[in-house]
Amino acid sequence: MSLTVQITAPRHVEVIDQPTPQLRAGEVRVRTTYSGISAGTELTAYRGSNPYLTRSWDPDLRVFTEDAGGLSYPVAGLGYSEVGRVVEVAPDVAGDPGLPPVGAHVWGIWGHRGEAVLSAEKLRGCTVPDGLDPLAATFARVGAVALNAVLAADIHLGETVAVFGQGVLGLLATRLVRLSGGTVVAVDAVPGRLEKALEYGADTVLDARDGSAGLHIRKLTDGRGADVAIEISGSYPALHEAIRSVAVGGRVVASGFYQGDGTGLRLGDEFHHNRVALICSQIGGVPASVAGRWDQIRLNQTFLRLARDGRIDPAGLVSHVIPVHEAASAFRMLDHSPQEALQVVLTFS
């Protein structure tokens, strides 16, 4: 049996025992050590706002259709930031030098469950780098999201980059922009996060609560505006301020998971008059301009190498390490008191 986190209804989480399957040919069994909670995507399922709950995604047409939702309660094992140890390998793949052996720490996506049986191919290239704390490896996917947004931003040396949202993804993006040669203006409504942004490389921080961050950024740049803005909080008002903040012909990368109607987003204002380029960054694919050289596995591995080499400190964003049986309280905290937490990680005995 395996302890598994299950969202049984909006804002209701329980931890259940689920049977673990027998190992078959071509498979690997992994016992979970850490599993990070996504305060963005996972909370949409927790709150009941995820579009998959009311609509279905047509993978051929690539549109949502107004029929039965593709996701329904109970939702078991949601999560995409796992690290564990390989405890069993099927005999037919045990000798493959490209696959992790028994005892190796691996990162991947198998949800908030204590044990998982996975295709061995899914773990090819997913061994935690030597010298990297397994806790830091829970950021492989999260770090890839931030890195993907930075690639989409196409930052040039010396450019001013505004990063809207300084939660976990925003702080990682702030650090990656700095490593890419950009000057960072970090924007958030939580003072503690702005202090953390300075630690992660922001040159200037702005409190979003007065609703005029875009105007402040234009003044900071002698009226020109930021060269590019990354909006990674998923807030429509923040996206509007990001659009207000950039120069004529500037770029805005929308990397948040936006929910519902676009209240607060006025596309007839600065977006229209300044001919702003609005670009979507989503982890399902890399920017078209680099698709010949980059893919998701390279995003993951690049981020983990940066962490191993000490150029970025993802583990420094872990504010809470919580036993899995207290998962319900962890989700409540992220929902009701987000200012109290950054990255929350569940542990499995």
Side-chain angles (χ1 to χ4, degrees):
M1 302 295 286
S2 172
L3 290 178
T4 301
V5 177
Q6 176 173 275
I7 303 174
T8 56
R11 290 185 163 87
H12 190 273
V13 167
E14 59 185 13
V15 179
I16 62 172
D17 265 330
Q18 284 190 325
T20 54
Q22 295 294 316
L23 197 71
R24 298 176 298 182
E27 292 183 334
V28 172
R29 188 183 305 277
V30 178
R31 192 160 294 151
T32 308
T33 307
Y34 298 117
S35 185
I37 298 176
S38 163
T41 303
E42 288 183 59
L43 283 192
T44 67
Y46 179 75
R47 293 166 174 160
S49 63
N50 191 295
Y52 285 93
L53 291 167
T54 55
R55 297 185 294 282
S56 292
W57 175 251
D58 186 318
D60 297 321
L61 294 176
R62 297 197 64 80
V63 296
F64 280 98
T65 57
E66 299 293 335
D67 53 17
L71 187 68
S72 61
Y73 296 110
V75 181
L78 193 65
Y80 59 80
S81 300
E82 285 69 58
V83 168
R85 190 182 294 274
V86 175
V87 295
E88 189 179 4
V89 178
D92 65 311
V93 292
D96 190 325
L99 296 176
V102 169
H105 271 110
V106 293
W107 55 267
I109 300 173
W110 57 86
H112 304 309
R113 45 174 53 92
E115 191 173 288
V117 171
L118 308 168
S119 165
E121 285 302 315
K122 286 190 174 181
L123 293 179
R124 190 178 294 276
C126 296
T127 302
V128 174
D130 289 340
L132 181 65
D133 183 347
L135 182 63
T138 62
F139 288 80
R141 181 76 165 181
V142 176
V145 172
L147 179 54
N148 207 33
V150 172
L151 289 178
D154 189 24
I155 297 159
H156 299 172
L157 184 66
E159 289 189 327
T160 298
V161 182
V163 181
F164 285 76
Q166 293 296 305
V168 171
L169 287 172
L171 288 164
L172 294 176
T174 289
R175 179 61 181 159
L176 291 168
V177 169
R178 187 61 182 266
L179 291 175
S180 301
T183 297
V184 184
V185 180
V187 184
D188 202 282
V190 179
R193 292 181 180 179
L194 294 177
E195 293 173 10
K196 199 73 172 177
L198 292 171
E199 292 180 28
Y200 275 67
D203 297 270
T204 305
V205 296
L206 294 175
D207 193 324
R209 287 176 292 182
D210 67 1
S212 58
L215 181 60
H216 287 315
I217 291 168
R218 302 193 82 83
K219 290 179 178 178
L220 285 170
T221 55
D222 297 322
R224 182 185 67 250
D227 297 285
V228 61
I230 298 172
E231 202 303 296
I232 204 161
S233 74
S235 161
Y236 286 114
L239 181 57
H240 184 72
E241 285 301 310
I243 291 169
R244 292 187 76 207
S245 75
V246 296
V248 174
R251 300 180 304 283
V252 174
V253 177
S255 189
F257 189 13
Y258 302 93
Q259 304 294 298
D261 295 335
T263 303
L265 179 62
R266 302 188 301 277
L267 296 182
D269 292 3
E270 290 83 6
F271 174 76
H272 179 76
H273 289 82
N274 289 333
R275 303 181 299 284
V276 173
L278 182 59
I279 303 162
C280 177
S281 174
Q282 199 269 345
I283 195 58
V286 298
S289 60
V290 298
R293 298 179 284 119
W294 285 83
D295 55 18
Q296 290 189 38
I297 192 68
R298 185 178 179 186
L299 290 172
N300 297 133
Q301 292 176 342
T302 297
F303 182 82
L304 292 181
R305 281 197 298 271
L306 290 170
R308 180 201 62 194
D309 295 343
R311 302 184 71 190
I312 193 165
D313 178 24
L317 300 179
V318 176
S319 59
H320 296 76
V321 178
I322 296 175
V324 65
H325 64 267
E326 298 177 19
S329 64
F331 275 87
R332 280 196 300 272
M333 175 178 62
L334 288 169
D335 185 28
H336 295 296
S337 306
Q339 72 280 359
E340 295 180 6
L342 280 172
Q343 182 63 57
V344 176
V345 176
L346 301 176
T347 59
F348 292 76
S349 60

